[in-house]
């Protein structure tokens, strides 16, 4: 197994700085070969990427990771499981926000434990769809109780905006991390959340660092795609490109990243993710991977060191761009707007 850089998030809680994401193995992304998916996870772990991200609403993914954990223990011994970390999520359905109670939350946690074949969840990242239903502090309190029971090691959250993060911290909820969309194209966390996170010792996990694949060599020099796009992920991130400044400026960024990639012997996607790992307050980046096709690049994210010249070139492009409107996840919470209309809000009952 190749050693990769680790980071201590809390005493006794150390993870790899690249996290293997599981969203692309969920429903809606095409058929998944179970044996091949487990073999891919084994390959990631053997390459040194020992932290995995999933969610209660990623249909079938927790079960796949549970099978992988068993296979890992069979190969390396039960003690080797201590080196693996699995970060899952708790996402009550939009339709259940007003009625979810302690039993509902406990049921989701117990289901995740069973699927993942774990006695204690390493990290539960909580998401809440609608602030107009102000019960998220209740749910976090129940998660804190489950943490005290030993069912959860660490509590995190995902996609909460800055005022709510401050409210949660001031309520005494021991948040370790916040998972947010954060990339060279989408720097909304830098407006308000990042300064608070740095002040309060809250770590950021970044998803979307390659913008659904747009920040990759495939799109360098390509014509601007027209609707309908190939999948919901591309639709989502094309909106971000429009907010960033449009296709021409996006192409200028790709050309910049390609030049940096040439100097380091990697690809554009590796540079794009490494640039976020280079940012203050960022603990890890989540690489979405359907298989091991880009494993070498995923590993390189953790070891690539950008130079001052690299950073300056990227900054020159970003200085011409716009940061998408609002705080973290504000655009996506507007269910009538273009970013919110493509979201799916009631996946827990179906998972």
């Amino acid at each position: 197994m190749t050693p990769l850089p680790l980071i201590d998030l809390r005493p006794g809680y150390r993870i790899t700085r690249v996290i293997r994401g599981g969203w692309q193995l969920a429903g809606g992304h095409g058929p998944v070969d179970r044996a091949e998916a487990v073999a891919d996870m084994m390959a990631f772990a053997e390459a040194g990427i020992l932290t995995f991200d999933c969610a209660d609403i990623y249909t079938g993914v927790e079960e796949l990771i549970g099978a992988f954990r068993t296979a890992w223990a069979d190969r390396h011994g039960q003690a080797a499981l201590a080196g693996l970390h699995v970060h899952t999520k708790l996402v009550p359905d939009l339709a259940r926000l007003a009625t979810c109670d302690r039993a509902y939350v406990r049921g989701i946690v117990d289901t995740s434990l069973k699927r993942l074949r774990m006695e204690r969840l390493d990290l539960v990242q909580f998401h809440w769809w609608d602030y107009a239903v102000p019960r998220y502090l209740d749910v976090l309190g129940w998660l804190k109780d489950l943490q005290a029971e030993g069912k959860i090691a660490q509590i995190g959250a995902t996609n909460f905006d800055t005022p709510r993060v401050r409210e949660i911290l001031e309520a005494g909820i021991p948040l370790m991390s916040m998972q947010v969309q954060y990339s060279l194209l989408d720097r909304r966390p830098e407006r308000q959340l990042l300064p608070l996170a740095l002040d309060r010792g809250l770590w950021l996990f970044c998803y979307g660092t390659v913008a659904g694949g747009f920040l990759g060599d495939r799109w360098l020099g390509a014509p601007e795609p027209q609707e309908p796009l190939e999948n919901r992920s591309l639709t989502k991130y094309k909106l971000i490109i429009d907010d960033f400044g449009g296709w021409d400026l996006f192409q200028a960024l790709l050309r910049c990243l390609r030049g940096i990639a040439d100097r380091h012997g990697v690809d554009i996607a590796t540079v794009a993710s490494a640039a976020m790992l280079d940012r203050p307050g960022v603990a890890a980046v989540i690489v979405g991977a359907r298989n091991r096709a880009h494993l070498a690049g995923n590993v390189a994210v953790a070891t690539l060191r950008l130079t001052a010249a690299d950073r300056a070139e990227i900054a020159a492009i970003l200085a011409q761009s716009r940061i998408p409107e609002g705080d973290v996840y504000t655009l996506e919470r507007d269910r009538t707007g273009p970013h919110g209309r493509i979201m799916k809000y009631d996946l827990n009952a179906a998972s």
Side-chain angles (χ1 to χ4, degrees), residues 1 50 68-69 72-85:
M1 183 167 55
L50 298 170
F68 152 67
R69 293 182 74 255
W72 186 256
D74 288 344
R75 178 177 297 181
H76 295 286
Q78 196 71 22
L81 290 175
L84 296 178
H85 288 90

Side-chain angles (χ1 to χ4, degrees), residues 56 88-92 101-110 112 121 123-128 135-158 160 168 172-175:
D56 53 342
T88 193
K89 301 181 187 70
L90 188 141
V91 187
D101 56 15
R102 186 187 296 269
Y104 176 75
V105 171
R106 180 183 289 274
I108 293 175
V109 168
D110 285 341
S112 291
L121 298 176
L123 171 68
V124 173
Q125 302 166 104
F126 172 54
H127 177 79
W128 190 255
R135 303 181 65 241
Y136 47 88
L137 286 179
D138 293 334
V139 177
L140 283 161
W142 299 329
L143 289 177
K144 187 178 177 182
D145 291 342
L146 291 169
Q147 182 183 43
E149 288 181 29
K151 291 198 171 192
I152 298 170
Q154 303 290 340
I155 299 172
T158 181
F160 277 82
I168 291 166
I173 304 299
L175 286 186

Side-chain angles (χ1 to χ4, degrees), residues 37-116:
V38 170
D40 286 336
M41 292 179 196
M42 294 287 284
F44 270 77
E46 295 289 2
I49 296 176
L50 298 170
T51 310
F52 294 77
D53 181 82
C54 60
D56 53 342
I57 61 171
Y58 295 175
T59 305
V61 178
E62 287 183 325
E63 289 95 337
L64 287 172
I65 294 178
F68 152 67
R69 293 182 74 255
T70 296
W72 186 256
D74 288 344
R75 178 177 297 181
H76 295 286
Q78 196 71 22
L81 290 175
L84 296 178
H85 288 90
V86 180
H87 298 172
T88 193
K89 301 181 187 70
L90 188 141
V91 187
D93 286 344
L94 177 64
R96 287 295 307 265
L97 298 189
T99 60
C100 75
D101 56 15
R102 186 187 296 269
Y104 176 75
V105 171
R106 180 183 289 274
I108 293 175
V109 168
D110 285 341
T111 298
S112 291
L113 285 166
K114 181 179 179 181
R115 290 170 173 170
L116 290 166

Side-chain angles (χ1 to χ4, degrees), residues 220-241:
L220 178 61
E224 183 172 5
Q226 303 301 312
E227 297 286 352
L229 275 71
E230 184 179 331
N231 55 53
R232 190 162 53 99
S233 179
L234 290 179
T235 301
K236 164 190 172 73
Y237 288 111
K238 177 56 167 60
L239 290 169
I240 293 295
I241 290 171

Side-chain angles (χ1 to χ4, degrees), residues 184-204:
L184 294 175
L185 296 173
D186 182 0
R187 291 173 290 133
R188 283 178 287 175
E190 294 178 7
R191 275 207 179 98
Q192 299 182 59
L193 179 63
L194 182 58
L196 176 65
L198 290 171
D199 181 61
R200 302 296 291 270
L202 180 71
W203 293 103
L204 299 186

